[in-house]
Amino acid sequence: MEDMSTTANAIVAFSQSEKIKAGLIWLSSASGMIDNLPGPEKQGAERFFKTMVGMVHQEVMMAKRVTGYEEWDRVSGYMERAMVMIESGVASQSVDHLTMALSQVTNIGQKAMSYLKEKKLLGGN
């Protein structure tokens, strides 16, 4: 990750990472349920799931625009691959990509948290 060049960028990266992690955890949990639904219910669930993935993806894109951190591009790529799985009718297979996105977001958040702790702007031991 680029140097946490400003405190403001680190704060945005940290707060966005926490919000995005929550969304990715929820999406990962929900992805396995969709494939087992019958026809019309599955179609509706896929549309809803796709919308939710899109909403979390928008948060990733916003974090990238605000912070400029290239790591968000990697998260975006994983989310785009997850969307391909959903559009292909195999939402449960999106979980691998969502998990990779979660791992990357966790790394971003950890680096931001470390920077903020180093600057004595975030408590903790």
Side-chain angles (χ1 to χ4, degrees):
M1 174 181 274
E2 294 95 278
D3 176 34
M4 289 286 170
S5 56
T6 69
T7 298
N9 283 352
I11 290 169
V12 170
F14 181 68
S15 65
Q16 282 298 103
S17 72
E18 291 302 305
K19 183 182 351 177
I20 292 166
K21 281 192 312 186
L24 289 169
I25 290 167
W26 182 86
L27 290 169
S28 294
S29 296
S31 68
M33 293 185 259
I34 295 172
D35 287 346
N36 296 324
L37 295 172
E41 290 177 22
K42 180 178 179 179
Q43 291 171 342
E46 284 173 340
R47 282 194 301 273
F48 178 74
F49 190 68
K50 185 176 172 182
T51 299
M52 297 307 293
V53 171
M55 290 173 67
V56 174
H57 191 224
Q58 286 300 314
E59 292 295 324
V60 170
M61 300 306 290
M62 190 276 291
K64 166 65 177 176
R65 280 190 302 275
V66 173
T67 66
Y69 299 153
E70 297 297 322
E71 286 82 353
W72 292 112
D73 288 334
R74 187 183 254 167
V75 176
S76 180
Y78 291 130
M79 296 202 67
E80 288 168 2
R81 287 187 211 72
M83 191 68 78
V84 168
M85 296 293 111
I86 297 161
E87 290 173 351
S88 298
V90 285
S92 64
Q93 292 182 22
S94 69
V95 75
D96 293 336
H97 303 293
L98 295 171
T99 301
M100 294 301 291
L102 177 61
S103 176
Q104 185 67 32
V105 171
T106 300
N107 289 338
I108 293 168
Q110 180 63 43
K111 289 176 184 177
M113 182 175 65
S114 294
Y115 175 89
L116 294 170
K117 281 185 174 183
E118 178 182 302
K119 298 291 182 182
K120 304 206 184 309
L121 297 170
L122 189 64
N125 298 328

